[in-house]
C-alpha cells in the first residue's frame, strides 16, 4: 500500500511525516483510433508510462504504434466494478506524491470525488484492540525504524535495512512490516536504505471511482492495439523491428514500458542481446510483492468511518496484513499483504488468504466480522505473466543500477516505466512522468 507517504525522513513523529502490412491486422484487434502504417516509434505497454508517452508523442507530432499484451489499458493501475459492484482497484489505489503527480490535477479536473486520505488507525494486539500505550509504542518503534533506515540512506549506505534497524520491543516487527512488506513489497533484507532514502515523500489522495479508472480515462481516444504482445525486439539495424504474433512493426525507435521482472525473465527477446550491465539492471531493480485481499463488508465493523486503517501486531511471524477499510464509503476493505507472505498466499490461493484475514479480524473484533462479510477476492501480481510482481526497488548494493536501467541503448531502444523514474518509482505518477520524459528524449534523439 506504499506508505512512503507517511514515513519519516526527518525523525519527526510518524503522523507528521512521513511494417507494416501487418499494421492493419494489428488494428483490427482492438485499436480504438487510427494507428499509422509507418510509425516513427513503437510503444510497448499501455500502463501509465505507455499512455503518457503516447500523449507526448502525439502532442509533438511524432507518429507511433502502441501495442499492449493484455485486453485492457492501465497495467498495474486497473479498476473494475464487476467483482463487488463498486470500484475495485486491483493495483494502485492511493493517488500519491501530491501535485507532483500529474494525476493529481487530472483527478481534480475530473467529475469524480477526489479527496485527501484521512489517517485514522485501529491497532489490534492479539485478541483485543491495542491500548493507548501499545499504540504509542508502535508509532515510536515505527519512527525508530524509519529513522535508522533514513540515517543509513542519507549517509550513502547502500545496505539492507535489516542491518541497521533496532528490533528491540514487542512492536518492532510490526513497524518493520509497515515499512518493508506493506510499503516496499519486500522483506527488510531485500531492499536498499539508499534507494528508500532517495524516494519522494508523499501526500495521499483518493479518487472514489478508482485510480485505475483515472488512468483508463487518460487513455481514452488513444490508438492502443490490445492483445498484442511484443515477443522480440530487433535493434541491430538502422531502426528497430518489434515482432508480435500479429506481425512485425518497423520503426525508428521503441519505448519499452514493461516491468523489470518481465525484462528479467526475457518475455521479450532482444536481438542482438542487450549490453550486460543493462541486463543486470533488470535484476538489480527488482520487483517486490504486494497484493490486495479485498473484503466486502455491509457495515462499518471497524468503527472508523470512511477510509480508516487497520494494523495488527506481528509477532514471530511474517504473516501480516495492513488494511484500508471502507474505501470511499463503499464497504470494501483492502487487506494488503507484502513480501514473502504475499508470494506464499498466491501459492496457497484466495480461500486461504481470505480465511487468514477473517481469522485475525474475528479474533479481535468478534462475530460481527462474519455477520457482515459479503465476499472477498485476492490479486496475484506475481503470478501475472505481464507483471511478475507489484513495483520495483533497488536490491541492497544495487542503487547504482538505477541510471543504467533508465539509459537508452543505441539511441533507439528506450526504457520507461515506474522503475525508471528518479524518485517517484513504484508509483503511477512516476510511471507517467517517466513515460512523458522518455518520449521527449526520443523526439530529441530522432531530431
Ligand atoms: C497491488 C499494487 C498496489 C499499488 N499501489 C499503488 C498506489 O497505491 N499508488 C501508486 O501510485 N502506485 C501503486 N502501485 C504501483 C503502480 O501501479 C505502478 O507503479 C504503475 O501502475 C506502473 O505503471 P507502468 O506503466 O510503469 O507499468 P505497467 O502498469 O506494468 O504497464 C506495462 C504494460 O505492459 C504490458 N505488457 C507486458 N508485457 C508486454 C509485452 N510483451 N508486450 C506488450 N505489452 C506488454 C502490461 O500488460 C502492462 O499493461 C501499486 C501496484 C500494485 C501491483
Amino acid at each position: 500500500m506504499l506508505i512512503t507517504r507517511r514515513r519519516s525522513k526527518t525523525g519527526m513523529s510518524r503522523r507528521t511525516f512521513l511494417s507494416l502490412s501487418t499494421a492493419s491486422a494489428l488494428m483490427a484487434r482492438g485499436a480504438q483510433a487510427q494507428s499509422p502504417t509507418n510509425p516513427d516509434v513503437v510503444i510497448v505497454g499501455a500502463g501509465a508510462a505507455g499512455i503518457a508517452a503516447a500523449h507526448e508523442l502525439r502532442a509533438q507530432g511524432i507518429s507511433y504504434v502502441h501495442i499492449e499484451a493484455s485486453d485492457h489499458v492501465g497495467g498495474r493501475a486497473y479498476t473494475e466494478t464487476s467483482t463487488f459492484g463498486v470500484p475495485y482497484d486491483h493495483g494502485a489505489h492511493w493517488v500519491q506524491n501530491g501535485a507532483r503527480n500529474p494525476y493529481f490535477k487530472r483527478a481534480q479536473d475530473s467529475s469524480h470525488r477526489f479527496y485527501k486520505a484521512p489517517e485514522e488507525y485501529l491497532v489490534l494486539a492479539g485478541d483485543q484492540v491495542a491500548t493507548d500505550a501499545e499504540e504509542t509504542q508502535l508509532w515510536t518503534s515505527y519512527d525508530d525504524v524509519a529513522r535508522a533506515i533514513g540515517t543509513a540512506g542519507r549517509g550513502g549506505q547502500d545496505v539492507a535495512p535489516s542491518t541497521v534497524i533496532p528490533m528491540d520491543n514487542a512492536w518492532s516487527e510490526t513497524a518493520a512490516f509497515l515499512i518493508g512488506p506493506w510499503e516496499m513489497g519486500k522483506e527488510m533484507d531485500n531492499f536498499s536504505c539508499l534507494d528508500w532514502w532517495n524516494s519522494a515523500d508523499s501526500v495521499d489522495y483518493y479518487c472514489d471511482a478508482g485510480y485505475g479508472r483515472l488512468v483508463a480515462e487518460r487513455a481514452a481516444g488513444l490508438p492502443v492495439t490490445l492483445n498484442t504482445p511484443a515477443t522480440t525486439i530487433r535493434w541491430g539495424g538502422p531502426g528497430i523491428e518489434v515482432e508480435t504474433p500479429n506481425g512485425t512493426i518497423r520503426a525508428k525507435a521503441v519505448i519499452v514500458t514493461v516491468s523489470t521482472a518481465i525484462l528479467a525473465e526475457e518475455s521479450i527477446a532482444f536481438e542482438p542481446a542487450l549490453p550486460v550491465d543493462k541486463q543486470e539492471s533488470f535484476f538489480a531493480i527488482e520487483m517486490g510483492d504486494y497484493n490486495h485481499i479485498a473484503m466486502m463488508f455491509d457495515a462499518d465493523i471497524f468503527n472508523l468511518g470512511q477510509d480508516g486503517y487497520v494494523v495488527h501486531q506481528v509477532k514471530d511471524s511474517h504473516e501480516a496484513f495492513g488494511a484500508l477499510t471502507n474505501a470511499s464509503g463503499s464497504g470494501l476493505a483492502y487487506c494488503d499483504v507484502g513480501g514473502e507472505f504475499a508470494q506464499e498466499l498466491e501459492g496457497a490461493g484466495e480461500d486461504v488468504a481470505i480465511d487468514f484475514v477473517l481469522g485475525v479480524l474475528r479474533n479481535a473484533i468478534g462475530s460481527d466480522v462474519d455477520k457482515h462479510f459479503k465476499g472477498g477476492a485476492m490479486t496475484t501480481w506475481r503470478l501475472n505473466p505481464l507483471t511478475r510482481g507489484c513495483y520495483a526497488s533497488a536490491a541492497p548494493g544495487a542503487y547504482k543500477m538505477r541510471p543504467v536501467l533508465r539509459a537508452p541503448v543505441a539511441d533507439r531502444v528506450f526504457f520507461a516505466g515506474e522503475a525508471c523514474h528518479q524518485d517517484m518509482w513504484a508509483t503511477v505518477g512516476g510511471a507517467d512522468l517517466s513515460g512523458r520524459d522518455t518520449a521527449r528524449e526520443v523526439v530529441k534523439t530522432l531530431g
Side-chain angles (χ1 to χ4, degrees):
M1 79 97 108
L2 285 164
I3 53 173
T4 45
R5 54 195 169 279
R6 285 192 294 281
R7 75 170 176 241
S8 171
K9 285 185 173 178
T10 59
M12 286 146 59
S13 99
R14 182 179 182 301
R15 287 191 175 82
T16 53
F17 56 55
L18 288 175
S19 142
L20 291 191
S21 55
T22 53
S24 52
L26 291 177
M27 282 190 293
R29 295 204 175 203
Q32 301 160 1
Q34 203 66 19
S35 287
T37 47
N38 290 295
D40 289 321
V41 180
V42 179
I43 303 171
V44 177
I51 293 166
H55 272 285
E56 187 63 27
L57 292 181
R58 190 163 78 163
Q60 300 222 26
I62 301 291
S63 62
Y64 67 88
V65 166
H66 194 175
I67 59 172
E68 162 60 47
S70 77
D71 62 2
H72 60 265
V73 299
R76 285 171 271 165
Y78 173 61
T79 312
E80 50 90 359
T81 54
S82 54
T83 306
F84 296 108
V86 298
Y88 166 30
D89 275 318
H90 287 226
H93 181 70
W94 284 260
V95 182
Q96 300 184 294
N97 303 110
R100 270 193 76 194
N101 178 353
Y103 276 96
F104 182 84
K105 174 129 190 4
R106 286 173 204 147
Q108 279 184 325
D109 293 348
S110 77
S111 58
H112 309 304
R113 187 163 66 93
F114 184 61
Y115 58 99
K116 195 164 182 294
E119 284 219 27
E120 202 59 49
Y121 277 80
L122 173 67
V123 181
L124 307 177
D127 58 3
Q128 46 196 306
V129 173
T131 61
D132 285 352
E134 287 174 318
E135 222 185 298
T136 301
Q137 199 174 14
L138 167 61
W139 300 132
T140 304
S141 297
Y142 181 93
D143 285 352
D144 291 346
V145 170
R147 194 178 298 110
I149 303 173
T151 303
R154 192 172 46 210
Q157 292 185 51
D158 199 0
V159 297
S162 54
T163 64
V164 300
I165 58 172
M167 297 295 284
D168 52 9
N169 70 69
W171 290 91
S172 302
E173 291 274 0
T174 314
F177 161 76
L178 293 177
I179 295 177
W182 209 34
E183 173 188 339
M184 299 291 288
K186 287 185 173 181
E187 304 301 322
M188 280 292 183
D189 56 0
N190 220 2
F191 65 96
S192 154
C193 293
L194 184 57
D195 201 44
W196 185 89
W197 172 252
N198 281 295
S199 66
D201 266 336
S202 185
V203 183
D204 294 346
Y205 287 77
Y206 295 126
C207 171
D208 66 348
Y211 204 165
R213 171 81 181 269
L214 286 175
V215 175
E217 286 175 358
R218 177 80 178 137
L222 290 177
V224 181
T225 309
L226 301 174
N227 302 307
T228 305
T231 53
T232 302
I233 295 176
R234 289 190 205 90
W235 57 280
I240 56 97
E241 291 180 2
V242 178
E243 199 171 299
T244 82
N246 306 323
T248 302
I249 313 166
R250 296 185 180 83
K252 294 175 186 159
V254 60
I255 302 177
V256 182
T257 72
V258 303
S259 77
T260 55
I262 292 301
L263 292 164
E265 74 172 13
E266 299 180 23
S267 283
I268 303 173
F270 286 87
E271 294 177 3
L274 292 169
V276 171
D277 64 338
K278 188 77 184 178
Q279 293 183 47
E280 281 172 3
S281 73
F282 304 152
F283 294 89
I285 312 301
E286 63 183 5
M287 293 283 272
D289 290 281
Y290 187 83
N291 278 315
H292 301 306
I293 304 169
M295 311 278 285
M296 183 55 115
F297 295 97
D298 68 0
D300 181 13
I301 56 165
F302 306 102
N303 210 17
L304 286 167
Q306 195 182 297
D307 301 301
Y309 290 104
V310 174
V311 172
H312 68 98
Q313 189 175 21
V314 190
K315 270 188 189 161
D316 308 322
S317 157
H318 64 179
E319 297 187 2
F321 70 87
L324 166 70
T325 64
N326 198 14
S328 296
S330 69
L332 194 62
Y334 291 92
C335 303
D336 293 349
V337 289
E340 288 170 6
F341 187 47
Q343 277 207 42
E344 281 169 29
L345 283 182
E346 286 199 29
E350 193 169 82
D351 290 347
V352 173
I354 291 169
D355 277 354
F356 162 71
V357 172
L358 285 175
V360 172
L361 295 179
R362 200 182 284 135
N363 210 13
I365 297 175
S367 58
D368 264 10
V369 171
D370 293 291
K371 203 161 78 194
H372 294 289
F373 175 59
K374 295 297 155 201
M378 178 178 69
T379 60
T380 51
W381 288 102
R382 176 64 60 172
L383 289 175
N384 186 327
L386 300 178
T387 52
R388 299 290 189 214
C390 61
Y391 35 80
S393 58
Y399 180 67
K400 59 180 179 299
M401 299 306 279
R402 278 214 178 262
V404 179
L405 176 69
R406 278 195 292 272
V409 173
D411 280 347
R412 50 188 176 276
V413 186
F414 292 81
F415 293 85
E418 56 91 3
C420 294
H421 194 269
Q422 187 132 5
D423 64 342
M424 282 168 56
W425 41 263
T427 71
V428 173
D432 180 286
L433 291 171
S434 163
R436 182 202 67 184
D437 292 349
T438 303
R440 286 180 182 169
E441 207 180 335
V442 171
V443 175
K444 215 165 129 193
T445 305
L446 294 182

